[in-house]
Amino acid sequence: MSKLKIGVIGCGGIANQKHFPALKANSDLNEIVAFCDTQKERAEKAAAEFGAPGAKVYTDYHDLLADPNVEIVHVCTPNVAHCPITCDAFAAGKHVYCEKPMSHSTAEAEKMVEAWKKSGKQFTVGYQNRFRPEVQNLHAACMNDDLGDIYYGKAHAVRRRGVPTWGVFMDKAQQGGGPLIDIGTHALDITLWCMNNYDVDSVSGSVFYKLGNLQQATEGNLFGPWDPNTFEVEDSAMGFVKMKNGATINLEASWALNILESREASTTLCGTKAGAEIHSGMSYSKNELIYNRGRNNQLMEETLSPVGGVAYFGGGGGEEGTIDCRQWLEAVQNGTQPLVKPEEALVVTKILDAIYQSAKENKEVKF
């Protein structure tokens, strides 16, 4: 079977740290034949390092989509560009892997799903944390009913000081939001997926702009001090999600918060038979999965401690990124459904958008 032909739109941080290494690690299934970036030198550099012989370079994504050699498009741009590029890619007859979040707004995400359904092509969103071994183990346990009825969950995406100081993360016009849709989206995806519950009843939220514009708050930031004058998005956001069956989820997301524990891409689940917690983030040297339940008249804890950690910027995409990429390419190749379904990613976006809306209007948002 011939290799799938990939075109990458956006050759910045996430492309270089996740997509390019993951695609290269699966070079038996694909080759990158086109690169697009508004900064031509970035696309040229990526093509030289990761491209197939004769790979083309573009500065206008429409030109890449018009390239008949491209079968699959990876959208690695700032959030606000996800919708138009994805919709245009489907119209051009391409399969699409879009970076998380699907979009910065419900309306745009719904347009993307509609375009996908009309296209007959494959579509997935970049929630690679599902492929971490402890997340896979927890999901399997939930599907086996080991936890029983899961009626309460927490989605953790809290950094003490981990504001990304590169790219456009602090630019609201290009990103649409801050930590809630940057890292909160991963924690929420893991929690919803393990609970296997996407039937939302209502959402309430609080969004804070407290530390981003304070010079003294930049001290000790993992990625170096940020510029308080250019910090336009929230620094923290909290949400309360009520499902139609009565189950609830608390979501916490921050890049900067005066808290001791940095817990990211993590979840806590409480069921009628048992509970489980995933610990990952900057406060942990390795990821942990801890089950808790009663046995032999005592409370017990069972711990799974696989090797590896969350793939921050510097992990070459992480093992989970490589696995995610392979199952995506195989899904396109075989005409099967990728693990991350567009309908699930849409619910994540709708919840995040509802948290922003609830905070702005100071009221509960009904789904």
Side-chain angles (χ1 to χ4, degrees), residues 33-162:
V33 299
F35 298 79
C36 180
D37 198 282
T38 54
Q39 298 180 34
K40 187 176 182 181
E41 61 274 14
R42 291 205 306 195
E44 290 176 335
K45 181 178 181 296
E49 186 173 353
F50 297 101
K56 296 179 180 179
V57 170
Y58 302 99
T59 55
D60 186 331
Y61 80 84
H62 294 96
D63 294 332
L64 183 147
L65 296 181
D67 187 338
N69 199 34
V70 174
E71 300 172 272
I72 302 173
V73 170
H74 281 221
V75 180
C76 305
T77 64
N79 298 336
V80 297
H82 288 181
C83 177
I85 295 175
T86 296
C87 291
D88 287 346
F90 284 131
K94 315 297 185 185
H95 304 285
V96 178
Y97 182 122
C98 181
E99 250 309 314
K100 61 79 190 169
M102 179 182 284
S103 178
H104 67 293
S105 76
T106 296
E108 300 246 300
E110 287 176 338
K111 289 179 184 177
M112 296 165 72
V113 171
E114 183 180 356
W116 159 62
K117 289 181 177 178
K118 288 181 179 178
S119 72
K121 297 297 179 178
Q122 294 278 38
F123 185 24
T124 197
V125 177
Y127 289 118
Q128 73 278 355
N129 282 289
R130 290 191 186 188
F131 294 90
R132 286 164 30 204
E134 72 279 5
V135 177
Q136 288 279 311
N137 186 289
L138 177 56
H139 181 261
C142 293
M143 295 307 100
N144 289 332
D145 197 40
D146 290 352
L147 273 62
D149 176 24
I150 303 171
Y151 56 91
Y152 181 57
K154 291 183 181 181
H156 309 274
V158 173
R159 295 176 183 173
R160 186 178 182 185
R161 290 293 187 279

Side-chain angles (χ1 to χ4, degrees), residues 105-254:
S105 76
T106 296
E108 300 246 300
E110 287 176 338
K111 289 179 184 177
M112 296 165 72
V113 171
E114 183 180 356
W116 159 62
K117 289 181 177 178
K118 288 181 179 178
S119 72
K121 297 297 179 178
Q122 294 278 38
F123 185 24
T124 197
V125 177
Y127 289 118
Q128 73 278 355
N129 282 289
R130 290 191 186 188
F131 294 90
R132 286 164 30 204
E134 72 279 5
V135 177
Q136 288 279 311
N137 186 289
L138 177 56
H139 181 261
C142 293
M143 295 307 100
N144 289 332
D145 197 40
D146 290 352
L147 273 62
D149 176 24
I150 303 171
Y151 56 91
Y152 181 57
K154 291 183 181 181
H156 309 274
V158 173
R159 295 176 183 173
R160 186 178 182 185
R161 290 293 187 279
V163 176
T165 54
W166 62 94
V168 296
F169 282 98
M170 293 178 282
D171 186 338
K172 191 167 186 176
Q174 294 194 65
Q175 285 293 90
L180 182 61
I181 59 174
D182 174 40
I183 57 176
T185 190
H186 278 301
L188 182 57
D189 175 70
I190 291 171
T191 304
L192 291 169
W193 186 53
C194 287
M195 292 176 72
N196 192 30
N197 189 347
Y198 291 87
D199 294 324
V200 182
D201 178 68
S202 62
V203 175
S204 299
S206 297
V207 176
F208 299 103
Y209 300 81
K210 299 291 187 179
L211 302 184
N213 302 121
L214 297 180
Q215 182 64 51
Q216 66 267 30
T218 70
E219 295 179 338
N221 190 53
L222 177 66
F223 306 111
W226 67 86
D227 182 356
N229 297 316
T230 61
F231 201 110
E232 301 175 349
V233 297
E234 82 278 359
D235 44 72
S236 297
M238 312 301 166
F240 180 79
V241 184
K242 185 174 181 180
M243 314 306 285
K244 289 181 179 178
N245 70 346
T248 59
I249 298 172
N250 279 336
L251 169 62
E252 53 180 10
S254 76

Side-chain angles (χ1 to χ4, degrees), residues 10 20 30 67 84 114 146 155 213 237 255 264 272 275 280 296 309 347 365:
F20 293 151
N30 82 97
D67 187 338
E114 183 180 356
D146 290 352
N213 302 121
W255 284 337
E264 184 177 347
T272 53
S280 66
N296 302 319
V347 173
V365 175

